[in-house]
Amino acid sequence: KEGKVKLDDRLSKYVPDFPGAEAITVEQLLTHTSGIRSYNHVPSAQVGVRDDNTPMQLVDGIRNEKPAFAPGESWMYSNSGYLFLGIIIEKVSGLKYADYMQTKLFTPLGLKHTFVEDETQIVTGRVKGYAIGTDNVLRNAGYMNMTYPYAAGSIETNVDDLARWNELLVAGKVIDKALLDRAWTESRTKDGKPTGYGYGWYVSDEDGVHFVVHGGAITGFRSNGVLVPEKKLFVGVLHNALGSGNDMLYALKYTTTRLALEVLGQSWSATP
């Protein structure tokens, strides 16, 4: 928005020593079309989950990984995109990622319950995360140092702040409408194939309704949020337990979409 980063900037401008960075754009990092493998899905990166990690240490874990495809040729969800975008924020702003998010977004927008998690801070109302094993027994979730998810998943919030965030987005109080429309438009690969993804959001049309959607999972937690911009309708579900399979993920996706359609007075024929 301030013009300090351009969508067609090359990754090499910010991380010049990363292999292939000269062929990868900021836009490809946003749309998951960079081909860089997700740093938390490669064996070399799994050892640091409990440790303090710097962003560049996370980058080192995928430095020698072969890309899944050439930039722009396909789509693959990759947390490495957010890793590099966080690094870009730090290099351009001169602030740590957490400080930038707090001073430039959370505080000015009045998001009083939203933080980049700092495990040393006491946060009123913070809930504990649990794990559900294949035996369906509830257990305490394993420990993960929040430097590991970094810009790909270290933000904690609640449903009230999520609702306010989406209200402010739709009202144009976060970024201008032209850029937001671009972020909420389905991107395409170089050969024109639709990806189902914009800039940081899944986008789709169901029964004539335009949905902007995202969910996620981390140790002890799973979530999903559905926004219908034209109706200024947001539905969010936060769950403080992570199952061993994908059933819960699909259930949350189905539930949020169904609730959104019910509020709009429409039915949906899809099954969970």
Side-chain angles (χ1 to χ4, degrees):
K1 182 178 178 181
E2 295 175 351
K4 295 179 180 179
V5 179
K6 294 181 172 59
L7 291 167
D8 59 0
D9 279 350
R10 302 290 166 163
L11 177 57
S12 55
K13 179 178 178 179
Y14 306 100
V15 191
D17 61 345
F18 187 76
E22 68 283 349
I24 298 168
T25 66
V26 168
E27 185 171 46
Q28 288 167 342
L29 295 173
L30 287 164
T31 59
H32 298 284
T33 56
S34 72
I36 304 174
R37 297 182 186 277
S38 193
Y39 72 90
N40 58 318
H41 288 160
V42 297
S44 60
Q46 295 300 320
V47 295
V49 173
R50 292 174 173 265
D51 303 327
D52 278 323
N53 295 278
T54 67
M56 290 310 298
Q57 284 175 327
L58 297 174
V59 170
D60 288 341
I62 55 171
R63 190 175 296 279
N64 297 319
E65 289 290 325
K66 183 180 178 181
F69 49 83
E73 288 192 354
S74 188
W75 183 92
M76 178 186 69
Y77 195 94
S78 175
N79 282 320
S80 295
Y82 297 115
L83 165 61
F84 284 111
L85 290 165
I87 291 170
I88 291 170
I89 286 173
E90 293 194 357
K91 292 204 171 187
V92 171
S93 69
L95 298 171
K96 291 293 186 183
Y97 171 72
D99 294 335
Y100 179 89
M101 297 298 284
Q102 193 66 53
T103 60
K104 295 292 187 177
L105 285 171
F106 303 155
T107 298
L109 295 176
L111 304 177
K112 298 179 180 180
H113 307 283
T114 305
F115 313 94
V116 174
E117 185 168 332
D118 180 348
E119 295 160 311
T120 66
Q121 290 186 342
I122 296 174
V123 176
T124 302
R126 179 194 281 161
V127 300
K128 184 174 179 57
Y130 297 90
I132 303 172
T134 54
D135 55 3
N136 289 324
V137 174
L138 194 68
R139 298 178 174 86
N140 290 321
Y143 173 73
M144 176 181 285
N145 189 306
M146 283 296 108
T147 62
Y148 184 74
Y150 180 52
S154 59
I155 296 174
E156 60 182 14
T157 189
N158 64 10
V159 289
D160 292 329
D161 270 16
L162 280 174
R164 178 171 175 80
W165 164 252
N166 282 278
E167 180 182 2
L168 292 171
L169 276 172
V170 172
K173 300 295 179 63
V174 182
I175 55 176
D176 61 82
K177 186 177 185 302
L179 182 55
L180 189 61
D181 286 346
R182 191 165 177 176
W184 287 347
T185 298
E186 184 176 25
S187 62
R188 293 181 179 271
T189 57
K190 285 183 176 179
D191 62 359
K193 188 178 299 182
T195 66
Y197 205 89
Y199 299 165
W201 286 276
Y202 291 96
V203 291
S204 64
D205 291 278
E206 304 283 349
D207 294 340
V209 179
H210 183 60
F211 287 102
V212 178
V213 182
H214 220 289
I218 200 167
T219 303
F221 300 89
R222 191 178 280 285
S223 62
N224 202 61
V226 171
L227 173 67
V228 183
E230 292 78 8
K231 300 295 184 180
K232 299 180 180 179
L233 170 67
F234 172 72
V235 178
V237 177
L238 306 181
H239 187 61
N240 62 321
L242 181 63
S244 57
N246 288 321
D247 289 351
M248 191 185 300
L249 171 63
Y250 295 131
L252 286 183
K253 286 182 176 180
Y254 175 78
T255 300
T256 48
T257 304
R258 187 193 66 200
L259 285 172
L261 284 169
E262 285 182 357
V263 171
L264 295 172
Q266 295 182 239
S267 61
W268 191 34
S269 58
T271 55

